Amino acid sequence: MYLYTPADVDRKRAHHQAVKQDADDVPTKRRGNLGELAFEQFCREYLPVEMWEWENEAAIRKCNPESFSAYDFEVFGYEIDVKTSRDVSAFQPSKLLDQDPDDDIIVMVWHRDNEDGLILLGWERVETLKSKVSTQGAYSGAEPTKLDHLATRPMNELMDLGPNTAHMNQKPQNPFAPGDRVIKSGDEDASVAVVIEVLPPEKDVGVYGQSMDGEAVCVAFPSSLDQGPSNWRDIDPALLSSYCDDQDIKLYTYKHTNLEFATNPFTPGDRVVNATHDDPDKAIVVARADDSAAEPVSVVYTGQLDDPEMAPGALDSHCEDMGIKQYSYAPDDLEWAD
């Protein structure tokens, strides 16, 4: 058995996708999504990436409704459905067949009450389940009152269905996560971008007509995000991919080794406080100078503005027109206000 502990990004995407799916039972759908994420991690650790495919990867990453598919994964050519439940009696052979008699294999995932941990209990062939149900009905007679048969094979036996691959460990190697502020490496005039999506390492992404050799990271620039109908800074980083997809905000794809964390991550519109002050007031970034400047971040305090929700692109000219004093600080002196 294997324990999967979902990251915060996974938990929030699993829930938001269930909401956008307009599921009849959002908690059940959310747990099902977490079960698929758990099995995806198992596949990434132990199975050759060329020999498995997750049908719902893009839908959950972007929090979009799933396109209809009779199964969740295809592994070694087998159609696999993932069943997730807190009630282990749901994994009795007859109950599994009642829910899903048409796939090749069923993977069983148990979850804790607060969904902070899921255990991959095992898997079983559907044909074997049918045989067990038939045998129980014909020959077994009455079951013990306190013992119910659960059909399951150890998770690591799934590897035996394919070639001998030992320990694959094909997890992403890049250090970035949604919401990170990054710049293009080696570009002195690079603009700050926001990481929106970290694509699976096996995803074949084409850039300018050429296949990318390496892991891909999709970013958006704050100037584009500011054009959207909502304040993107108030959106959880895990859901930025959903927001950009809904609002058709253009994303740019980079090889992860061509990006680095921005030493000066602040852009116009950001809410900040001065960490060197004992009781700091909230300020808004008005302009960002080159990193080589002594104090490259200019801010005004929210009390100086009649409309703190003004479009970020208009802040600098508005302050100049109205004679509003700006204050300049080094990035190391500033922290995010929220």
Side-chain angles (χ1 to χ4, degrees):
M1 294 189 292
Y2 297 87
L3 172 65
Y4 165 71
T5 303
D8 189 53
V9 168
D10 293 338
R11 290 165 63 92
K12 289 174 178 174
R13 284 181 173 173
H15 178 79
H16 196 58
Q17 191 282 331
V19 172
K20 290 186 67 176
Q21 183 86 29
D22 197 22
D24 294 333
D25 187 341
V26 169
T28 297
K29 177 58 179 168
R30 177 181 65 244
R31 294 169 193 134
N33 288 343
L34 289 172
E36 291 187 41
L37 283 160
F39 184 62
E40 186 257 355
Q41 287 299 299
F42 172 83
C43 293
R44 193 166 297 289
E45 285 274 14
Y46 295 104
L47 307 180
V49 72
E50 301 86 359
M51 307 191 81
W52 61 270
E53 181 177 0
W54 183 17
E55 297 294 314
N56 300 319
E57 184 273 326
I60 291 181
R61 172 162 47 85
K62 294 181 179 292
C63 303
N64 284 337
E66 297 172 6
S67 59
F68 176 77
S69 178
Y71 55 93
D72 299 322
F73 288 80
E74 184 174 324
V75 178
F76 302 131
Y78 296 96
E79 295 178 357
I80 293 183
D81 205 50
V82 180
K83 297 299 181 187
T84 307
S85 179
R86 179 69 173 86
D87 180 6
V88 292
S89 70
F91 304 134
Q92 294 174 357
S94 59
K95 291 186 178 180
L96 289 172
L97 282 180
D98 288 342
Q99 294 181 47
D100 201 339
D102 299 323
D103 293 321
D104 297 322
I105 290 172
I106 293 176
V107 170
M108 289 152 269
V109 183
W110 177 88
H111 69 84
R112 289 164 51 96
D113 281 340
N114 56 5
E115 302 168 29
D116 64 342
L118 296 91
I119 294 178
L120 290 157
L121 295 177
W123 63 280
E124 189 58 274
R125 294 175 184 265
V126 170
E127 288 301 319
T128 301
L129 293 174
K130 292 178 180 177
S131 176
K132 288 184 176 181
V133 170
S134 175
T135 301
Q136 282 181 300
Y139 305 109
S140 297
E143 294 279 341
T145 57
K146 293 187 178 182
L147 288 176
D148 284 321
H149 179 81
L150 299 181
T152 180
R153 299 180 64 175
M155 283 304 305
N156 60 355
E157 289 187 6
L158 191 64
M159 292 179 275
D160 297 336
L161 297 179
N164 184 11
T165 56
H167 188 75
M168 298 300 298
N169 191 15
Q170 299 161 108
K171 288 189 174 181
Q173 300 299 311
N174 83 83
F176 304 111
D180 287 341
R181 301 287 180 96
V182 296
I183 59 172
K184 186 177 179 180
S185 300
D187 188 345
E188 295 181 356
D189 298 323
S191 299
V192 171
V194 182
V195 174
I196 305 298
E197 293 182 329
V198 178
L199 301 185
E202 69 276 4
K203 193 170 183 65
D204 186 16
V205 179
V207 179
Y208 300 118
Q210 296 185 351
S211 181
M212 177 180 292
D213 182 18
E215 296 178 19
V217 177
C218 295
V219 306
F221 291 96
S223 57
S224 297
L225 291 165
D226 289 336
Q227 303 294 319
S230 301
N231 186 348
W232 60 271
R233 293 171 176 83
D234 295 335
I235 298 173
D236 191 285
L239 307 182
L240 283 173
S241 59
S242 177
Y243 176 71
C244 290
D245 191 59
D246 290 345
Q247 303 303 325
D248 199 25
I249 293 173
K250 182 173 177 58
L251 302 183
Y252 297 84
T253 304
Y254 291 89
K255 185 177 177 179
H256 80 280
T257 52
N258 291 337
L259 295 173
E260 61 185 65
F261 291 103
T263 56
N264 178 6
F266 304 108
T267 63
D270 289 341
R271 267 55 174 175
V272 296
V273 293
N274 191 321
T276 65
H277 294 176
D278 292 334
D279 187 17
D281 293 325
K282 184 181 292 187
I284 302 174
V285 175
V286 173
R288 177 188 185 277
D290 186 84
D291 285 357
S292 60
E295 294 178 329
V297 183
S298 298
V299 308
V300 294
Y301 290 93
T302 54
Q304 296 176 265
L305 297 174
D306 293 332
D307 180 14
E309 301 302 322
M310 183 181 302
L315 282 169
D316 196 14
S317 60
H318 174 76
C319 289
E320 289 187 12
D321 293 343
M322 303 301 295
I324 298 174
K325 180 177 174 56
Q326 298 183 33
Y327 299 85
S328 296
Y329 299 106
D332 290 344
D333 292 335
L334 299 176
E335 294 179 350
W336 305 107
D338 300 316

